[in-house]
Amino acid sequence: MSTLSAPPFPLSVLYQDQHVVILDKPAGIPVHAGPKGGPCVEDCFPLLSRRKDGPWLAHRLDTETSGCLAIALRKQPLLAMQQAFASRTAQKTYWAVVQGGPKDDTGEIDLPLLKQTDRSGWRMITSEKGTPARTSWRVLGRSDSLCWLELHLHTGRTHQARVHCAAMGWHIVGDTLYGAPHPEGLHLLARSLTLPFTPPVKAVAPPRKGMQAALQACGWNCG
């Protein structure tokens, strides 16, 4: 793992070659510039490549989610990654620490999601009128009040992991939109990403410091 020379915020590179960079995106940093200003992932693009045909984001993560974020340095790998994400041949794994948790050790959530907008803003809800969304989960550890889940998102809907967990009654710790705030923020990590290239490209992101206490309570060994 290496660190960019002068990024606008602390940012680590999990994987890099002449075509692709996979960053360990910090929680609290949006991928795009927003109306409120402040740093974003795209601010780092001049440090990644000086070419005119890139870089580009190949996919996105919520502002409060940390972990693996893929960036294409050229147009051809961008198209290849977009196809991989669209066809679900790119493999993404998430870790979440949730309140309570399921009784079983494995399972699947199959609930359509719909964007709902009102005067206070927007959020995603489960609805029969929504777009199909499917999430597989596996319990990796438990404490008295928390559960450490591995999530596989078979569809890439906005806020899918957060809404699916909340709909099951297992709010992700620190989810201010679908659950309750936490001093250490949203406990959701884009843990690993595998791209179906030749050879395959794989990166694994460590849990950020703010998640580690909850993970350790559930049995995670940082060693």
Side-chain angles (χ1 to χ4, degrees), residues 2-13 23-33 38-48 57 63 65 67 69 71:
S2 60
T3 303
L4 293 171
S5 58
F9 49 86
L11 190 62
S12 294
V13 176
L23 301 177
D24 183 6
K25 188 190 85 65
I29 301 296
V31 294
H32 300 296
C40 68
V41 171
E42 289 180 332
D43 292 338
C44 294
F45 282 6
L47 300 174
L48 300 177
L57 290 163
T63 298
T65 302
L69 179 70
I71 294 170

Side-chain angles (χ1 to χ4, degrees), residues 5-204:
S5 58
F9 49 86
L11 190 62
S12 294
V13 176
L14 301 172
Y15 174 89
Q16 183 170 9
D17 62 24
Q18 61 181 338
H19 303 292
V20 177
V21 173
I22 300 179
L23 301 177
D24 183 6
K25 188 190 85 65
I29 301 296
V31 294
H32 300 296
K36 297 181 180 180
C40 68
V41 171
E42 289 180 332
D43 292 338
C44 294
F45 282 6
L47 300 174
L48 300 177
S49 174
R50 295 183 179 180
R51 293 172 60 93
K52 295 182 179 180
D53 61 338
W56 294 277
L57 290 163
H59 64 125
R60 288 157 181 76
L61 291 177
D62 292 349
T63 298
E64 300 306 322
T65 302
S66 62
C68 296
L69 179 70
I71 294 170
L73 299 182
R74 301 183 183 184
K75 194 61 175 286
Q76 186 173 357
L78 172 67
L79 297 175
M81 282 192 281
Q82 288 177 332
Q83 175 60 30
F85 285 114
S87 64
R88 305 301 163 193
T89 55
Q91 299 176 11
K92 294 187 289 183
T93 300
Y94 289 80
W95 279 5
V97 179
V98 301
Q99 296 283 352
K103 294 181 179 179
D104 296 331
D105 289 333
T106 61
E108 187 172 282
I109 305 165
D110 192 351
L111 294 171
L113 299 179
L114 180 69
K115 186 175 183 179
Q116 184 180 66
T117 304
D118 56 30
R119 293 180 180 178
S120 62
W122 67 270
R123 58 189 287 153
M124 303 299 292
I125 62 170
T126 60
S127 171
E128 293 181 355
K129 298 179 181 179
T131 305
R134 186 165 63 94
T135 303
S136 297
W137 53 265
R138 179 168 69 99
V139 173
L140 298 180
R142 302 178 189 268
S143 72
D144 291 340
S145 60
L146 303 175
C147 187
W148 166 24
L149 297 178
E150 178 182 84
L151 305 173
H152 292 274
L153 277 56
H154 301 282
T155 49
R157 311 305 177 202
T158 301
H159 294 180
Q160 179 174 323
R162 298 164 64 182
V163 180
H164 272 178
C165 287
M168 301 301 290
W170 331 315
H171 298 88
I172 297 178
V173 173
D175 190 338
T176 57
L177 189 57
Y178 305 104
H182 186 278
E184 296 296 343
L186 182 68
H187 284 44
L188 181 62
L189 168 71
R191 171 63 172 172
S192 67
L193 174 63
T194 302
L195 300 172
F197 294 165
T198 304
V201 169
K202 182 172 183 178
V204 178

